[in-house]
Every structure is written in C-alpha cells, then in structure tokens.
Amino acid sequence: MKKLINDVSQVVPDMLNGLVALNPHLALLQGKTIVVRADAAQAASRGEVALISGGGAGHEPAHGGYVGAGMLSAAVAGEVFTSPSTDAVLDAIRAVAGPAGVLLIVKNYTGDRLNFGLAAEIARAEGIPVEMVIVADDVALSAHGQHAGRRGLAGTVLVHKIAGAAAAQGASLVEVAQVARDTIAALATMGVALTPCTVPAAGKPGFTLADNEIEWGLGIHGEPGIERGALVPADAIVARLLQQIAGDLKLQRGDRVALLVNNLGGTPASELDIVADAALRDLRTRGVEVERAWAGTFLSALDMAGISLTVVRVHDQLLSLLDAPALTSAWPTLGGHLAKTPVKPAPAAPHAKRSDRMAADARLRRVIEAVCACLTGAEAVLTDMDQRVGDGDLGISMTRAAQGIRDEIDEWPAETDPAAVLRAMSATIRRVVGGTSGPLYAILLMRAAATLDNVKTNDVRAWSAAFSAAVEGVSELGGAHPGDRTMIDALHPAAQALQAALDSGKNEDAAISAAVDAAVDGAAKTASMTPKRGRSSYLGDRALGFADPGAHAVALWLAAVRDALAASR
C-alpha cells in the first residue's frame, strides 16, 4: 500500500485539519471529527434551518467539502467507510441547531440510518426540531429486492445543494425536508469501477479485477456490484448506465434533467470529459433536455478508478435552487450551464430506392392517409378534451404526427414490406412528436413491425397478432394497464375483440368493426375511471365525467382504418 498518510489511526483527523486550515469559512469542533460552518451561530440566529450530513470518511470531498453557506451546516465524519457514532451526530446537531431546527441528510446504509436516526430521537427529546431524509439513489439494485435497500450514492450531493439553497432562502424545516424528499424521488445513480479501492486500515484492495474486467453497479465502499464483465468503450459503458437510469426514472422525450458525472476517486479528468460527452450525446438521442451538467469528483470511494452517473429530473424551482450561490470548498463555482456549441447531427438513414418506395395508390398508404386526415380533423376536439384533463397538447401532437407522415411518406418503403413501413412511420413520429404521445405511438408501431416481419400484407391474423403485440409494448413502456384511464383502455379491448372475432370465424370487415366498437366503448368508459397514469392522475376525481382524450383518439383512428379498408375493396 502506497498512501500519503502518517498514522493509519490519524487519517481522518489529519485530513480534516488540512481541509479546515485551507478554508476560513469552516471550523472543527474541538476534539471531534465534525466540520461546521464558522458562521453557524449567526445562520441559526437568522432563522435558517441547519443541514447535517456525513458518514464514513473515504468519500472526499464529501461531506466536509460541502459545508458552507448555501449547503451544509455541518458534516460528521466516521472512520474510513465506518458510520460515525450516535454521540458524534448528536454533538453536530447541538452545535448548529437553532430555533428553525435541523435536517439530517443520510445515505441509505444501516449504520448511518441507525446512528443518525438515534441521534435525531435524542435531539427531539431535548426539544430540538429534527427531520431526517434518506437518500437511496442506487438504481443498480432493484427497488424491492432481497437486500438492505438501495444505497445512497453521489446523488446525495445534489440533495445537499438543493436543500441547502432552500434553507438559505428561509424555507421552514418542513419545507426544506419536503424539497429534499422531492429531489430524492427524482434521483437515480449507477456506477462502474475499473479498479478496487484500498482502505488504509486494511492495507490491501477490497477485491481484485483483471486488466480487462470492470464491475457494474458497485457501492461506494467497494461492495460488489451486480455483475462483473469485460471492459468496453466509454460510449457503451455510458449507454448501459443511462439505460438503467432512464428506465428507473421513466425518462421520456422532452423531460428536463440535470446530470452529475462523478469520479469515484482515481479517474483522470480527461476520462471524465469523455464520459460527460458520451452521456450528453446519449441523453440528447433520447430527446431528454439536459439543463445543467457537472463533471468532477463529488463523492468518491478513496482511490477507486471508475465513475457514476446521476440524473435528476428538474423543473424551474429545482433549477433555481441548483443555481443559487454556495460558499463551499467542493461545489463547483460554475453553474453547470452547457455550452451552446452547435452539434453536427448524425447522418440520416439512407432512403429506399425509388422503385422500392411507397406507391401513391398503395392500399396501406390510403389507410395511413385516412388516419392522418382523421387526426388532423379532430385536432380541435382532442385539444378541448385534453385541456379538461391534461395539458391540452394532444390535438396539436396528433396533427404534428399527421403532417410529419405526409411530409415523409413518399420516401418510405413499398407496402410489400409492411414491417418496414411501420418502422419508417415510427421513426417519423418519434422525430416530430415529443411529450408522451410520440414515444408511445413509436413503440406501438415498432412492436407491430417486429411481429409483421416476413408476413403477407393481407393476412388479417398476422395484423391482429401485431396489434396485440403493439398494445403490450405501449403498456410496458408507459406503465399503464386497463382501468388506469389511458389510451390502453381503448387499445386493449380493441385488440382482444379483433382476435376474438377472428377466432369465432368472422370475416375481416366484421372483425375490424368489432375492434372499433370495443375501442369506442372502452374510451367512453374512461369517463368513470379515476386516473392513475399521465397528467390526468394529478386531477384525481376531478377528471371524472370526461373521457380520456388519448383513448378517444385511438377510437377515432381505428374507425378511420376500418372505413379506409372498406372503401379500398
């Protein structure tokens, strides 16, 4: 072991002595490993809520580096990777508490929860108002697996920043705690290690990795991850991390986020920038708007080479709190704003050969154009319905999709390859439509295309199977099920009715009519459903009496499909 230390038993005191000596806005409680704001008493007298965090040392610059105006009031350090004692946390509470009270920000580890939690109980018994929030942002672990709960990782630093800004602005203890909880709910982090770390007291690495191996989803104390695999390029590492993060947060096109690229300790700045570039490109491809981004060492695991990515969904209030000033040694002085440098777009996919493009009189084209005409004509109705229970953009989104299809359909493949046609339509929609409608319709078409590969265009049973698969895709991506009051409440009964009609021997016309009738009935029934998904869910019972506009749109375009098919015979 080669480390710039004196005595293993003095690593934490020596480290904190140096930190405080270099930062006149900090102080050390005498004889303690507790860093406090030098002006903590003045801040308490002004009525500011005090924020305390901490845990085992070894995560520098966390947590002492975030003590200062606009962030933490105190940080309690235990031995390396060891929770501080209850009495140490209690000492910190007593040192910085004022009439406004104290918020404890705790990472989800058993020792931290026990010691901070017990200290909170004792402080409350002494008459000090104390709240505690738990950060559990590690999405490498399932939310409900057989483990001690998701671990607290680098997202904790964003909780420090946002809650600290709220406290500095005079928010009450209840308000600051709620801002912290809201931030925690919007956080997701996952990391990857290229090397182990070495705890000074242990004198050797906590695990071994071959030269070509990496560890996915490990904890910040060197705990094993979820999987050991081969080293892959940075783009592939970032893609996997963000796939897990985006899935857990259910990120969709148009969502606004902040990004934290965190060095686990031994990663060069050049590699952090490469990872940051890859992450920004990946999120851009997903249609996610990155409002703020930082790359650096925020919460480390000693000397471990590796990174973690944290994404937090943001809105204007959170952005203002992220932008608020903070006088600390570790939080970046730059505000995380992204450069406005133009980015060269990726080359477009090659068009089909002219002879292989959609014919003007193709039956499938006539059906698609009928759907476009139907949705364009229904813009006002859908807008009015969506204004009652949503954000009012459904009519505009459907019209935008229809216009995009009209603009690009001449370049689509011929109808002899219906799967390729649906994929082209999916690409058009996801390119021109944001919000929730775009990705939901894009996945509907992609799932249908996957089922239709290598089948004849006039095989109604194949189209029925494709429709059922498409509905499953929408449900999986959007998380909605029948009865949740969404477009699924029209799609699902329509798919079932179509298959049931075919199974009973009905012809194509009768089967499609049965599907349309089921969609119309399903859409009407949504008026009596309490919404559980989408923007309508914020209204609760106030949405009752109004049909879901997404379900109504499904009934409209299914009827247009039926009528166009009948007219083409």
Side-chain angles (χ1 to χ4, degrees):
M1 180 181 71
K2 294 181 179 179
K3 290 188 178 291
L4 294 172
I5 62 175
N6 298 306
D7 186 327
V8 168
S9 66
Q10 293 299 306
V11 166
V12 177
D14 288 353
M15 170 190 75
L16 296 181
N17 284 336
L19 172 67
V20 172
L22 293 172
N23 294 279
H25 67 280
L26 300 180
L28 267 177
L29 286 189
Q30 189 171 7
K32 309 288 184 183
T33 54
I34 301 169
V35 180
V36 298
R37 286 174 57 172
D39 65 343
Q42 294 93 316
S45 67
R46 290 194 300 267
E48 285 188 26
V49 172
L51 270 63
I52 299 176
S53 189
H59 305 303
E60 289 66 39
H63 297 83
Y66 303 113
V67 175
M71 290 189 76
L72 298 179
S73 306
V76 192
E79 293 300 320
V80 174
F81 293 174
T82 302
S83 172
S85 69
T86 299
D87 282 3
V89 178
L90 189 58
D91 286 339
I93 294 173
R94 290 167 175 163
V96 299
V102 177
L103 176 67
L104 304 181
I105 300 173
V106 183
K107 298 186 300 302
N108 191 31
Y109 297 95
T110 303
D112 289 346
R113 292 185 67 150
L114 290 175
N115 286 293
F116 277 81
L118 180 54
E121 288 291 327
I122 297 170
R124 291 189 194 108
E126 294 178 357
I128 302 173
V130 179
E131 291 276 352
M132 186 168 81
V133 297
I134 305 296
V135 184
D137 54 324
D138 181 8
V139 299
L141 300 175
S142 65
H144 305 291
Q146 296 297 312
H147 48 67
R150 287 181 164 181
R151 300 168 291 206
L153 302 179
T156 309
V157 177
L158 295 178
V159 181
H160 294 166
K161 179 65 187 72
I162 291 169
Q169 293 173 8
S172 69
L173 178 57
V174 171
E175 291 168 335
V176 175
Q178 189 58 54
V179 167
R181 292 187 181 102
D182 291 344
T183 303
I184 291 166
L187 277 177
T189 301
M190 184 172 171
V192 62
L194 281 66
T195 69
C197 59
T198 301
V199 176
K204 60 181 180 179
F207 57 93
T208 58
L209 282 172
D211 289 344
N212 64 342
E213 285 185 323
I214 57 177
E215 186 86 10
W216 294 95
L218 76 170
I220 53 173
H221 307 100
E223 310 100 309
I226 57 171
E227 178 186 328
R228 185 166 294 189
L231 177 65
V232 293
D235 279 0
I237 289 175
V238 168
R240 176 168 177 183
L241 296 179
L242 286 178
Q243 182 68 22
Q244 186 82 4
I245 289 169
D248 196 86
L249 289 178
K250 296 181 173 58
L251 289 182
Q252 299 187 10
R253 297 186 72 84
D255 280 351
R256 304 165 70 197
V257 303
L259 169 70
L260 194 71
V261 180
N262 175 56
N263 175 15
L264 289 175
T267 305
S270 59
E271 294 178 26
L272 287 182
D273 288 338
I274 291 170
V275 169
D277 172 61
L280 292 170
R281 284 188 285 106
D282 185 284
L283 290 168
R284 189 180 299 118
T285 299
R286 296 174 186 273
V288 174
E289 185 175 354
V290 181
E291 297 277 9
R292 302 288 186 274
W294 299 268
T297 306
F298 295 93
L299 194 149
S300 66
L302 291 171
D303 53 347
M304 181 182 289
I307 55 98
S308 66
L309 298 180
T310 299
V311 173
V312 59
R313 186 181 275 108
V314 298
H315 46 69
D316 288 346
Q317 181 194 9
L318 285 189
L319 284 177
S320 69
L321 295 173
L322 284 170
D323 291 343
L327 177 61
T328 72
S329 62
W331 182 254
T333 54
L334 296 177
H337 292 267
L338 296 176
K340 300 300 182 183
T341 306
V343 178
K344 184 179 179 180
H351 292 306
K353 296 179 180 178
R354 176 61 64 181
S355 59
D356 295 332
R357 295 179 189 174
M358 178 82 72
D361 61 347
R363 187 186 188 208
L364 181 55
R365 177 171 182 152
R366 293 199 296 272
V367 171
I368 293 170
E369 289 176 338
V371 169
C372 290
C374 166
L375 293 177
T376 300
E379 178 180 346
V381 171
L382 293 175
T383 296
D384 181 67
M385 294 178 69
D386 201 28
Q387 285 175 337
R388 295 176 184 273
V389 298
D391 55 5
D393 68 346
L394 181 62
I396 296 171
S397 294
M398 293 294 95
T399 298
R400 187 177 293 122
Q403 187 57 51
I405 289 169
R406 293 191 190 99
D407 291 343
E408 300 184 6
I409 194 169
D410 287 333
E411 304 297 330
W412 289 0
E415 74 164 355
T416 52
D417 189 353
V421 173
L422 296 186
R423 288 193 179 94
M425 192 188 310
S426 175
T428 296
I429 289 175
R430 73 171 186 263
R431 187 161 49 250
V432 301
V433 182
T436 56
S437 300
L440 291 177
Y441 274 102
I443 192 65
L444 181 140
L445 292 163
M446 288 178 64
R447 286 290 181 91
T451 307
L452 280 178
D453 279 325
N454 303 317
V455 301
K456 297 179 180 179
T457 60
N458 61 353
D459 186 345
V460 67
R461 288 192 172 274
W463 280 94
S464 177
F467 187 32
S468 295
V471 175
E472 289 180 9
V474 172
S475 181
E476 289 175 13
L477 181 65
H481 303 283
D484 285 349
R485 189 194 157 95
T486 68
M487 62 192 294
I488 289 293
D489 290 300
L491 287 170
H492 186 263
Q496 286 191 320
L498 178 61
Q499 188 61 54
L502 293 173
D503 290 343
S504 67
K506 291 183 179 180
N507 63 27
E508 179 178 321
D509 287 344
I512 295 174
S513 291
V516 173
D517 291 343
V520 170
D521 181 62
K525 288 179 177 176
T526 61
S528 61
M529 297 177 184
T530 299
K532 300 176 184 175
R533 290 289 186 274
R535 294 188 185 271
S536 296
S537 63
Y538 301 126
L539 296 177
D541 290 344
R542 286 186 292 163
L544 295 176
F546 302 103
D548 179 73
H552 184 71
V554 169
L556 290 178
W557 61 254
L558 275 175
V561 170
R562 175 197 61 196
D563 297 344
L565 287 173
S568 68
R569 290 191 178 86

